[in-house]
């Protein structure tokens, strides 16, 4: 299989196969909007959906997966434990997981993530994640928004190295040293806000490259992630954009294109700073 195909998967350190392209669902309203977006995505070939307890749409996402006509075991579903449960401690993380499963109406998830590194609390949360994994109720466990110093702090106490770190990553914020560190520790990176929260058309270099291939700036940005071996999870609730974001297989960025995009890093965050968030 073409390793840069969106149908391609990447092996997590425990052998679980994670599809390179997934559907993001932050700000996707629960109910019919969420379930319809998920059904469209699955119909268009996506096999990976990203949600979180805090998004408030696990019910709609679960419904979309169940009504898609594709078997549950063929779809990779990620959800995340929110910071309130992490602050409340070990038992609260276990309960939050049960509540997510109940909303999704699943008996397992493919990937469960610690959503943000809450200072002084994430090691305890990680012990609960390891328990969930040991019980077989999450096929893989990982973190999100962890920087190198959080991982350096967590790893000596961890029984299981996080299998994934989901971080903000797009042409303006590339976090290259964190990528190198993650490769070294066999932590697969997932890019959140890969379309820069809809600002992707504001990057002239991407538009220029896109024109050469008859593609969109969004498609170039997603292709750039995948060619770097980074899983990517663009969000849309519109069928035509869900299709556009998956139509990535009829072009390959040259090493020159890749270098041009690599050169756009301006360390500009669109979301919160993992060292300074208050939610
Ligand atoms: P994205 O970078 O995916 O951008 C989504 C925005 O771009 C929406 O406004 C969408 O609008 C628009 N859009 C979608 N497709 C296109 C396109 N082809 N051309 C132009 N605009 C487009 O932002 P997100 O912040 O949603 O990130 C993606 C996912 O990452 C989230 O949905 C969530 O699952 C995850 N995430 C995780 C975080 C974490 O802390 N772990 C934090 C933030 C996000 P429309 O829907 O109207 O098409």
């Amino acid at each position: 299989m073409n390793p840069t195909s969106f149908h391609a998967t990447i092996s997590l350190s425990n052998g679980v196969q994670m599809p390179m392209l997934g559907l993001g669902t932050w700000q996707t309203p629960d109910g019919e909007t969420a379930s319809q977006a998920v059904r469209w995505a699955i119909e268009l070939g996506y096999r990976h959906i990203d949600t979180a307890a805090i998004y408030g749409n696990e019910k709609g996402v679960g419904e979309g997966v169940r009504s898609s006509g594709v078997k549950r075991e063929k779809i990779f579903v990620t959800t995340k434990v929110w910071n309130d449960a992490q602050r409340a401690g070990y038992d609260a993380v276990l309960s939050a997981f049960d509540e997510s499963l109940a909303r999704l109406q699943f008996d397992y998830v493919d990937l469960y993530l610690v959503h943000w590194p809450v200072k002084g609390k994430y090691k305890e949360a990680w012990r609960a994640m390891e328990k969930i994994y040991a019980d077989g109720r999450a096929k893989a466990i990982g973190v999100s928004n962890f920087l190198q110093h959080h991982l350096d702090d967590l790893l000596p106490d961890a029984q299981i190295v996080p299998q994934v770190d989901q971080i903000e990553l797009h042409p303006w914020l590339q976090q290259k040293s964190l990528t190198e560190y993650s490769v070294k520790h066999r932590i697969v990176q997932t890019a959140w806000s890969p379309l820069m929260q809809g600002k992707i058309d504001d990057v002239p270099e991407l538009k220029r490259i896109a024109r050469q291939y008859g593609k969109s700036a969004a498609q170039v940005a997603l292709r750039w992630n995948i060619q770097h071996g980074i899983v990517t999870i663009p969000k849309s609730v519109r069928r035509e954009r869900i299709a556009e974001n998956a139509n990535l297989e009829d072009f390959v960025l040259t090493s020159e294109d890749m270098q041009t995009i690599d050169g756009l890093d301006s360390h500009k965050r669109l979301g919160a700073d993992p060292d300074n968030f208050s939610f």
Side-chain angles (χ1 to χ4, degrees):
M1 187 185 287
N2 173 0
T4 55
S5 149
F6 89 88
H7 289 299
T9 56
I10 188 164
S11 276
L12 303 183
S13 57
N14 63 351
V16 165
Q17 298 297 307
M18 181 175 189
M20 294 298 292
L21 180 86
L23 178 75
T25 66
W26 178 42
Q27 295 177 317
T28 297
D30 198 15
E32 187 49 25
T33 307
S35 56
Q36 181 62 263
V38 168
R39 268 194 306 274
W40 279 331
I42 294 172
E43 186 188 311
L44 289 160
Y46 289 66
R47 291 293 178 268
H48 170 183
I49 314 291
D50 183 84
T51 183
I54 194 68
Y55 301 168
N57 59 18
E58 290 172 305
K59 205 160 174 279
V61 165
E63 169 60 23
V65 171
R66 275 192 312 284
S67 58
S68 68
V70 175
K71 284 191 181 140
R72 166 70 187 94
E73 59 269 27
K74 300 283 185 203
I75 318 279
F76 187 103
V77 180
T78 302
T79 194
K80 317 181 190 91
V81 59
W82 188 240
N83 303 341
D84 55 352
Q86 195 182 157
R87 286 193 180 96
Y90 182 90
D91 288 335
V93 173
L94 297 181
S95 302
F97 180 73
D98 289 339
E99 287 159 18
S100 280
L101 278 192
R103 284 188 293 266
L104 287 159
Q105 292 188 45
F106 291 167
D107 50 16
Y108 71 95
V109 295
D110 296 276
L111 177 62
Y112 197 44
L113 301 178
V114 176
H115 207 146
W116 287 86
V118 175
K119 207 172 169 189
K121 297 305 292 187
Y122 58 75
K123 286 191 186 181
E124 186 179 341
W126 191 249
R127 283 198 293 111
M129 305 293 282
E130 290 176 330
K131 162 83 175 131
I132 291 164
Y133 180 70
D135 290 346
R137 299 200 304 152
K139 306 279 182 207
I141 50 173
V143 294
S144 176
N145 300 303
F146 277 48
L147 303 175
Q148 181 172 334
H149 74 85
H150 298 115
L151 292 164
D152 276 338
D153 182 43
L154 176 65
L155 260 46
D157 293 321
Q159 305 288 317
I160 298 167
V161 175
Q163 286 140 350
V164 169
D165 190 6
Q166 184 181 120
I167 58 166
E168 182 179 346
L169 196 153
H170 45 70
W172 287 347
L173 181 73
Q174 302 193 14
Q175 311 218 47
K176 288 173 195 156
S177 64
L178 186 54
T179 301
E180 278 167 30
Y181 178 94
S182 298
V183 168
K184 197 166 118 206
H185 291 275
R186 299 198 63 200
I187 301 169
V188 166
Q189 279 187 333
T190 301
W192 63 253
S193 295
L195 303 179
M196 298 166 44
Q197 302 181 356
K199 295 179 201 59
I200 204 71
D201 286 323
D202 297 353
V203 186
E205 293 86 348
L206 291 181
K207 282 177 56 174
R208 182 184 58 73
I209 293 171
R211 268 196 304 274
Q212 287 169 14
Y213 297 99
K215 305 298 283 187
S216 66
Q219 290 167 324
V220 168
L222 298 171
R223 185 82 210 180
W224 170 73
N225 285 147
I226 292 173
Q227 286 187 214
H228 270 314
I230 292 171
V231 174
T232 191
I233 49 171
K235 172 262 177 187
S236 183
V237 291
R238 305 188 208 189
R239 194 181 194 286
E240 68 281 8
R241 282 182 170 172
I242 296 173
E244 175 187 334
N245 297 342
N247 183 4
L248 306 175
E249 301 203 24
D250 55 356
F251 74 117
V252 178
L253 297 172
T254 61
S255 52
E256 197 188 333
D257 297 330
M258 293 293 284
Q259 278 166 24
T260 301
I261 306 170
D262 291 347
L264 300 177
D265 194 2
S266 53
H267 312 282
K268 183 175 161 43
R269 285 188 185 281
L270 301 174
D273 183 340
D275 276 332
N276 184 21
F277 61 93
S278 53
F279 41 79

